[in-house]
Amino acid sequence: QVQLVESGGGLVQAGGSLRLSCAASGRTFRNDAMGWFRQAPGKEREFVAAITWSGGRTYYADSVKDRFTISRDNAKNTVYLQMNSLKPEDTAVYYCAAGRWVQAAGTVFPNYWGQGTQVTVSS
């Protein structure tokens, strides 16, 4: 059974930092891209960041570039999202996903989703 389990969300003041984790299990993700998406109330889910599992290439949405960093620990089957200089507009439920990176679309096409973790940034 494939599972993606996120953790690390919470409440933080603007300008603060959080690190999200996504632990993957159930099969090997060696050939998958791993990504983070977020969904704010009343808005569509949007791409945040992605990393190729084997190659280590990273991709970011313009809104988080230079503030967020995605990384992975293959030995632990875990992907991280370090979020710095957080803004109130970063408030959302953050979802981990595993799937295929599509360069033309600039996003991950997920096969699996996590359950999400809430990030709230107060002003």
Side-chain angles (χ1 to χ4, degrees):
Q1 179 183 0
V2 174
Q3 277 194 312
L4 302 177
V5 179
E6 302 100 330
S7 60
L11 173 64
V12 65
Q13 288 189 331
S17 299
L18 282 173
R19 189 175 83 153
L20 305 183
S21 300
C22 172
S25 63
R27 68 168 180 81
T28 179
F29 289 87
R30 189 175 297 115
N31 296 316
D32 291 73
M34 301 294 293
W36 288 95
F37 291 75
R38 67 186 181 187
Q39 187 166 18
K43 295 188 176 182
E44 292 187 354
R45 192 172 298 189
E46 63 176 1
F47 167 77
V48 174
I51 186 167
T52 56
W53 194 255
S54 58
R57 286 173 290 173
T58 57
Y59 307 91
Y60 298 94
D62 288 342
S63 58
V64 306
K65 205 170 290 183
D66 299 327
R67 298 189 299 124
F68 290 11
T69 302
I70 189 169
S71 62
R72 85 274 194 244
D73 184 334
N74 290 347
K76 295 182 179 180
N77 252 12
T78 301
V79 177
Y80 304 97
L81 185 67
Q82 178 66 43
M83 306 186 295
N84 298 328
S85 302
L86 282 161
K87 305 175 181 180
E89 50 264 42
D90 295 318
T91 295
V93 177
Y94 283 70
Y95 297 90
C96 177
R100 182 171 59 96
W101 172 256
V102 180
Q103 185 68 38
T107 188
V108 174
F109 280 29
N111 295 315
Y112 305 100
W113 289 101
Q115 83 287 353
T117 186
Q118 176 70 47
V119 171
T120 303
V121 184
S122 63
S123 57

